[in-house]
Amino acid sequence: MKVVRDRRDARWLPGRFNFALFRLLAYARLRAASPRRACGTILIVDRYQSAFETYTVAACVLIVFAAFGTSLFEASMSMPAACILGALFAILLAQLLAVILGAVVIPILRMVIRIPDALIVTINGAVHMALVTTAAALLAVSDSRLRYGGAAFLLLIAANALAAIVNLFLRDSFLAAERRFGVEA
């Protein structure tokens, strides 16, 4: 386990973020941050450590699912009623996806092929992201008033892909930053 002690500015290490866009923003913030000692602080350098990143991505996914659900209902009812049903649709869909993947799809895949436990998180994430991207694309090409929400989500995905390319060129800089904090790969 990679750990940094007594350094408050280590919270901006790119290795503590999962998505490329957040990793790039954290690196920019790290370069602008001044070294700050904080005795007794222990930070784990793991890509799932950013609560802000996790909740932001989860909120974006729920908003896209809610907008997609609302666009399905808006043709047959008033917009406020469609928004309420769209929000309920998003919450139900997110929960059902987790249950169906965990209770049905992954056990079937494990019977057919041998899947390492570490890969299950990746499979879950890929399936969820594929479904939300599909919902955003369908929303973006629809006639709904909410189509711009789908387009905005697709732009965020494109920005993340571009950030991933930039991160490839900055990989050595990311590792050097971690070494400056005493983190060894």
Side-chain angles (χ1 to χ4, degrees):
M1 177 186 318
K2 300 177 186 179
V3 174
V4 175
R5 297 177 190 276
D6 302 329
R7 290 290 299 268
R8 186 168 179 80
D9 48 332
R11 65 187 169 167
W12 300 112
L13 285 171
R16 298 189 78 229
F17 295 86
N18 190 25
F19 289 93
L21 192 57
F22 286 95
R23 204 173 302 130
L24 189 59
L25 292 171
Y27 182 67
R29 177 68 176 97
L30 178 67
R31 300 225 357 151
S34 58
R36 293 178 60 192
R37 304 293 273 166
C39 292
T41 301
I42 299 174
L43 295 171
I44 296 171
V45 181
D46 181 67
R47 59 190 265 181
Y48 300 111
Q49 292 301 306
S50 173
F52 177 77
E53 176 188 28
T54 302
Y55 289 122
T56 301
V57 171
C60 287
V61 167
L62 276 177
I63 288 169
V64 168
F65 280 153
F68 180 71
T70 301
S71 73
L72 294 177
F73 298 123
E74 75 178 328
S76 61
M77 60 185 65
S78 70
M79 190 55 145
C83 286
I84 292 169
L85 283 177
L88 292 174
F89 171 82
I91 293 167
L92 183 64
L93 182 62
Q95 297 304 312
L96 280 176
L97 281 175
V99 170
I100 290 170
L101 281 170
V104 178
V105 175
I106 296 298
I108 290 172
L109 282 175
R110 280 190 161 174
M111 286 189 304
V112 175
I113 57 175
R114 192 168 174 92
I115 300 175
D117 288 341
L119 192 58
I120 290 174
V121 173
T122 303
I123 292 170
N124 278 331
V127 170
H128 277 85
M129 196 53 75
L131 289 173
V132 74
T133 303
T134 302
L138 290 172
L139 183 61
V141 299
S142 73
D143 292 333
S144 172
R145 293 179 269 182
L146 302 170
R147 65 183 171 271
Y148 301 110
F153 186 80
L154 294 175
L155 282 174
L156 277 174
I157 290 174
N160 192 62
L162 184 60
I165 293 168
V166 172
N167 286 351
L168 285 174
F169 292 106
L170 293 174
R171 187 171 190 277
D172 291 337
S173 298
F174 290 175
L175 294 173
E178 287 186 2
R179 280 192 299 274
R180 280 195 305 273
F181 283 86
V183 177
E184 294 298 323

